[in-house]
Amino acid sequence: MSAGARPLPGARRVLVAGAAGGVLWLLVWGLLSALMVGSDLPPDAMQALVDVLGPKLPVLVVVFLAAAAVAAQSAHWAWKRWLSPADAMVEEARVLLSTDVERQVRPRGTQAMQGLAQAFNDLATQRRQLRADMAEQVRQASRHVEQERNRLAALMSELSQSVVVCNLDGRILLYNSQARAQFRALSSALALAGGAEAIGLGRSVYSVLDRHLVSHAIERVQQRMARGEARPSAQFVTTTGSGQLLRVHLSPVLVAQGETDAGTDAGAAGTQRIDGFVLMLDNITRDFEVESARDRELNELMESQRAALGNLQAAVEMLDLSDLDAPTRERFLGVVRSEALRMIRGVQAWSQASAQDMGTRWPLEEMLGADLVAVARRRLEELPNLRVVTDEVDEAVWLKVDSYSLLLALAYLADRLTSEYGIRQLALRLQAVGARAQLDLIWTGQSMSTETVMSWEIDGIQIGGQHSSQLSVRDVVQRHGGEFWFERERVRHQAFFRFLLPGADTQAAVAAAGAAGYVHSDSRPEYYDFDLFASRRSHEDLEERRLVDLVYTVFDTETTGLNPSEGDEIIQIGATRVLNGKLIKQESFEQLVDPCRPIPAASIPIHGIQPEMVQGQPTIEQVLPAFHAFANETVLVAHNAAFDMRFLQLKEERTGLRFDHAVLDTLLLSAVVHPNQESHRLEAIAERFEITVIGRHTALGDAMVTAEVLIRLIPLLAEKGIHTLRQAREAQQQTYYARLKY
């Protein structure tokens, strides 16, 4: 729930007050003039004048006051007819000149002013057409470059390797969906709002990787470049704040020594410098744990074998004695047999465990179970005279499988059912069972013996009489670390083969799939900004940096009420980021919060958050650390920011966090650039800028609209000479609305 304020028509008040003051000044001047004239009159004349004017003095005062009121009303009418429409139209014209908003200035005021507005609209239309023609020419000229960028984005998105590209400051300028999912899993903060604080364009990669390790790797690359290596690179292994083990491969991004945006210095040809670096990341935590466990098991095996060998050696030495009696010899032979048997069992156990481990280490892919069933259905229907249907497919199941070998096994079983038992219809069923999933191949009709099932399981896979693979069904099952069996359902007169398969981590799979396009049907998300190659973090004070160079976290809160100091609490936080003048929609933060108090019924129609929606959600003490990490090293922006910031600041003592970020307020900045507009409510500003409002009074929806407003306000502020953060903060504090306190 956000708070608003009524506008103050300051110019009109100044004009009206000036007119009334002018009339009163005339009254005072007239009285002073009368006194000065009266001082030169003889006493009898003065008395006569007083006798004549005295009774009429109240009437004269009323007349003067009425004249003052008429003058003030006339001033108000003049302001409304000539000045106010002109100022409002100038502000609207500035919006058209400084932003990409396509609309017309609304004609107001006199006929001449309306004609002027129409002339401006005609010029704006002509300018818009010229800009469109120029943009089309630029687009045609840069089509090849854009195609290359799109190809790179497509390739990066489809890579199974996690790839991150950074500039020399360690600021991320490109990453793919696999890196996004992996960084979120590596986040040391509480995994709220999808781990949105973990990665983003313009963020520092050093929030996950140690700066000194990366610097050392770059130094090694530079040394190899100096030795003339063609493809210098470096590798290192590091641990993250969340305890994960990463293997990192670093390669440099090289440019000619004198290369700039305008071209390459011919004098620098043949020399190169590092302009950034590419990181390829592998999470080797599980592999390291498996290898460590195998080493421990091997050491334990060796220790046990050492004791057995010692016993065997002692027994053999005793058996070599010639004077050993028969009972003693038999006892030592028993020792030899038992120790040998113990060694054999230990080696067999190790061999079986190693074989099973090697089988389950086959690379598996995460995929939606419904997608696997759909592919399997199409594959099985390619067999002659076979119809395949689906039955009870759980759409929420994610699997971790080798889809190729699993489809081979299903096709093999279906082929044998049709050729040997005349089955003409099969059904596929998929259900979750804890952390695993059951995939069933079902048919109605003749059953089979256990011996037949076992022979099918161990025979090599062949379809249509032709060997399709060196695998068997058992090999496929072992590859997945799963199970396979045959069952009958006597009530339904059905039988089925069941595969018990490993499930994927649902949250990680959905995050990765969402990034890759499984969940959302939108166009490919933008995960790169090559303009950041030219970005260098200057050592100048943040206040002196230009608004266009800053990174912004635009946020909004929904609350139980409007009085943070009286116990109202946050029930939702939403935020997004603005970088290089662009809204980075895919990098957002949205989290419901349990307020630990009732939500007033009167506020529910505004934000639409029901009490049951926040039950069991994290508390504000859990959410704020994640939001603080999301907003790290950025400027906070909100609409009526004093309201939202007060809620955050009241929680600083309980959370141990300080929200000491620089803050900009779009309500105040709107009043700076548009002082003559009637309203500065978020909806009114969005209408002026032709911004589509979606999800109003939801935290993330309002944050998105506010971000769009900020992008359009920055060029308008520049027209007023406001270029730096310090200038913007000083300007917003001069507005009337800056007096609002919560």
Side-chain angles (χ1 to χ4, degrees), residues 12 15 74-86 109:
R12 179 173 58 189
L15 187 61
S74 300
H76 170 70
W77 178 83
W79 176 86
K80 192 171 182 179
R81 180 170 177 79
W82 288 299
L83 299 181
S84 175

Side-chain angles (χ1 to χ4, degrees), residues 433-498:
V433 183
R436 293 189 171 192
Q438 295 177 166
L439 177 62
D440 298 337
L441 184 65
I442 310 168
W443 70 93
T444 302
Q446 186 175 354
S447 184
M448 62 187 65
S449 66
T450 303
E451 292 76 11
T452 301
V453 174
M454 291 181 63
S455 67
W456 287 14
E457 183 180 356
I458 62 177
D459 288 346
I461 291 178
Q462 53 179 330
I463 302 174
Q466 301 293 324
H467 282 278
S468 300
S469 168
Q470 300 300 319
L471 294 171
S472 66
V473 173
R474 180 172 295 178
D475 293 333
V476 173
V477 173
Q478 290 179 347
R479 179 174 291 183
H480 290 81
E483 297 179 33
F484 171 81
W485 66 86
F486 166 72
E487 279 192 28
R488 300 182 183 87
E489 290 186 355
R490 301 187 183 280
V491 176
R492 297 187 183 181
H493 302 288
Q494 288 182 338
F496 59 85
F497 293 123
R498 171 162 291 174

Side-chain angles (χ1 to χ4, degrees), residues 182-244:
Q182 188 171 92
F183 267 57
R184 288 180 172 180
L186 297 173
S187 174
S188 58
L190 188 63
L192 299 175
E197 78 288 347
I199 193 171
L201 296 180
R203 289 189 180 278
S204 174
V205 76
Y206 302 129
S207 63
V208 175
L209 301 179
D210 185 273
R211 181 188 296 269
H212 299 95
L213 272 175
V214 176
S215 299
H216 180 64
I218 293 176
E219 289 178 5
R220 287 157 54 197
V221 168
Q222 290 172 333
Q223 292 170 355
R224 292 170 181 175
M225 289 175 60
R227 292 198 299 265
E229 290 190 17
R231 292 187 177 88
S233 63
Q235 287 190 5
F236 59 89
V237 176
T238 182
T239 56
T240 68
S242 58
Q244 301 292 300

Side-chain angles (χ1 to χ4, degrees), residues 161-172:
Q161 183 87 19
S162 296
V163 181
V164 179
V165 182
C166 304
N167 64 10
L168 275 181
D169 292 328
R171 300 287 159 181
I172 298 172

